[in-house]
Amino acid sequence: MAHEEARDGGANDKLVIRNIGLILSGDIANPILDADTIVAVGGRIAAIGREKDLDLSGATRVIDASGTAVTPGLIDSHVHPVAGDWTPRQNQLGWIESNLHGGVTTMISAGEVHTPGRPRDVTGLKAMAIYAQRTFSAFRPSGVKVHAGAPVIEPDMVEDDFKELAAAGVKLLGEVGLGGVKDGPTARRMVGWARKYGIQSTIHTGGPSIPGSGLIDKDVVLEADTDVVGHINGGHTALPLDQIRCICEGCGRGLELVHNGNERAALYTLRTAREMNQLERVILGTDAPAGSGVQPLGILRMVSMLSSLGDVPAEIALCFATGNTARMRSLDCGLIEVGRAADFVLMDKAQHSAGKDLLDSIQLGDLPGIGMTVIDGVVRTQRSRNTPPATKMPVIVGP
């Protein structure tokens, strides 16, 4: 697990990606851009347009996309990291790097709940959250951005605890309901304190998933009013569909669908959000590592499943894993627009897919082939070892 900070691009590094066949912006209001070239300087997007109209001089790295598609780096809104690129839940090394080969460049912790001996006292849980926030801020496995340090709240916490956590740099709460707080009034009070100090919140939804968790039903979810309804399709056991509808209609918060949840419930949530004309609320996660294991292609599989079985255009389904999450989570990535982090995935339809192109293949239920990932303007991987081989492959051509 080599330290990755040294691989970040320099302030004057200039990346040019040319000969792009399709640019998918991640913006659900405008998912496809009329452009064939992207320029990034110092790890941020500087220009998007037609090659003939852009200044490509002085590039320190040139990628010929070879007609492949470029999307924002995918975001996994729900993971449970512990220490670097190791998970004790599956005793596996390299799970984050393996997800990078599935196009995931950013991860959001829903709590470091698998930490052996996880403290439940207030002093201990605050210390562990600050430790996790510090370590993943200083260490990026294979360049992946892991936003960690998400304490699981306990009943003895008071407002000053949230103030202290925020002052220390903690910006997330772990899943409400995985600790001792399982009732609506207590959860709502503590979520309010977190929100007051700029800390985002997520709630466990559905049946228990680990020892110590319990059923969190619609009444608790609606009263707690967290920023994100975590795995509304269950992690693993989903609520009845009438309760899912009540949650969708009863709050305006994020609706998180996860790979480790109930697929029928995920499709029902998607259709409900579409009926309400609120697809911008849908975001994706894996809820990994977990008892189901580690799913390096979990986000891609969710995109393909929701597009093919949920009758959503592929370019919209990709927004669930990029721009929707970026905006909801206040991230500087996830969208291909000037000023954003230069995090990209270069992909194409898999070889021998029945689809006529990338988007058609996803809507038919196939996974795309990934040819390259870029984080902060730096090439992190080339041909994915996890996806099927792509029909067309990007290449580094210069300088």
Side-chain angles (χ1 to χ4, degrees):
M1 296 191 296
H3 202 285
E4 292 293 340
E5 279 189 327
R7 293 183 63 195
D8 289 349
N12 297 318
D13 284 359
K14 183 173 183 177
L15 170 70
V16 171
I17 307 176
R18 53 177 294 276
N19 195 20
I20 302 169
L22 175 70
I23 297 181
L24 300 172
S25 70
D27 181 358
I28 200 166
N30 183 34
I32 299 177
L33 300 181
D34 181 15
D36 63 12
T37 304
I38 299 173
V39 179
V41 177
R44 297 202 166 269
I45 300 172
I48 308 158
R50 293 291 170 183
E51 181 173 352
K52 62 183 178 62
D53 300 324
L54 301 180
D55 177 13
L56 310 186
S57 63
T60 54
R61 177 72 72 194
V62 178
I63 297 169
D64 183 342
S66 304
T68 62
V70 176
T71 77
L74 306 182
I75 304 168
D76 189 335
S77 177
H78 194 123
V79 297
H80 293 291
V82 171
D85 208 353
W86 169 68
T87 167
R89 186 68 187 268
Q90 294 296 330
N91 195 25
Q92 180 175 328
L93 286 169
W95 71 276
I96 294 174
E97 190 257 354
S98 204
N99 275 262
L100 175 61
H101 278 265
V104 173
T105 59
T106 297
M107 294 179 164
I108 311 294
S109 175
E112 296 77 40
V113 294
H114 302 150
T115 302
R118 175 169 65 92
R120 308 300 176 98
D121 65 289
V122 175
T123 299
L125 73 86
K126 288 192 297 183
M128 193 180 86
I130 295 168
Y131 163 79
Q133 188 276 331
R134 293 286 196 277
T135 58
F136 280 103
S137 294
F139 174 76
R140 287 168 47 179
S142 300
V144 176
K145 302 169 183 177
V146 182
H147 297 266
V152 176
I153 58 175
E154 295 290 345
D156 293 337
M157 296 181 75
V158 297
E159 181 175 349
D160 278 350
D161 294 318
F162 295 85
K163 182 178 181 180
E164 179 186 348
L165 285 165
V170 171
K171 298 179 180 179
L172 302 164
L173 287 189
E175 291 177 67
V176 176
L178 293 187
V181 176
K182 294 179 173 63
D183 65 286
T186 305
R188 187 179 185 89
R189 181 172 68 253
M190 294 190 178
V191 166
W193 289 336
R195 192 170 286 135
K196 177 179 178 180
Y197 295 106
I199 300 174
Q200 282 198 339
S201 54
T202 299
I203 193 165
H204 177 92
T205 308
S209 59
I210 61 173
S213 65
L215 172 67
I216 301 294
D217 65 12
K218 68 174 178 61
D219 295 327
V220 178
V221 171
L222 291 173
E223 186 162 10
D225 191 33
T226 55
D227 298 297
V228 173
V229 181
H231 52 58
I232 191 173
N233 62 318
H236 303 272
T237 309
L239 295 173
L241 298 186
D242 61 341
Q243 291 204 28
I244 291 176
R245 178 170 285 275
C246 284
I247 292 171
C248 292
E249 295 177 346
C251 74
R253 303 299 184 179
L255 305 173
E256 183 185 75
L257 307 177
V258 300
H259 182 274
N260 279 353
N262 181 308
E263 292 178 345
R264 178 170 176 264
L267 289 166
Y268 181 81
T269 303
L270 175 67
R271 291 174 180 131
T272 303
R274 185 171 55 196
E275 289 172 15
M276 298 170 63
N277 196 29
Q278 294 180 357
L279 286 178
E280 72 280 356
R281 292 172 61 191
V282 178
I283 64 175
L284 305 183
T286 58
D287 195 10
S292 294
V294 172
Q295 303 86 24
L297 304 184
I299 296 297
L300 284 179
R301 291 181 64 85
M302 287 296 292
V303 168
S304 179
M305 188 267 287
L306 294 173
S307 178
S308 61
L309 299 181
D311 299 321
V312 172
E315 63 269 25
I316 297 296
L318 279 161
C319 295
F320 302 159
T322 55
N324 280 11
T325 311
R327 287 185 167 134
M328 198 172 298
R329 297 291 198 171
S330 301
L331 304 175
D332 70 348
C333 56
L335 291 157
I336 296 182
E337 62 181 32
V338 172
R340 294 270 178 174
D343 298 351
F344 310 117
V345 182
L346 282 71
M347 63 174 72
D348 193 30
K349 73 171 185 175
Q351 292 178 14
H352 306 295
S353 168
K356 64 180 183 294
D357 55 29
L358 171 71
L359 298 180
D360 189 46
S361 71
I362 292 173
Q363 286 192 243
L364 290 176
D366 286 338
L367 297 181
I370 290 178
M372 190 175 291
T373 61
V374 176
I375 302 178
D376 291 334
V378 177
V379 175
R380 301 291 176 166
T381 64
Q382 295 191 52
R383 183 188 295 272
S384 171
R385 69 168 185 265
N386 292 331
T387 65
T391 300
K392 299 188 293 284
M393 287 291 299
V395 292
I396 298 172
V397 296

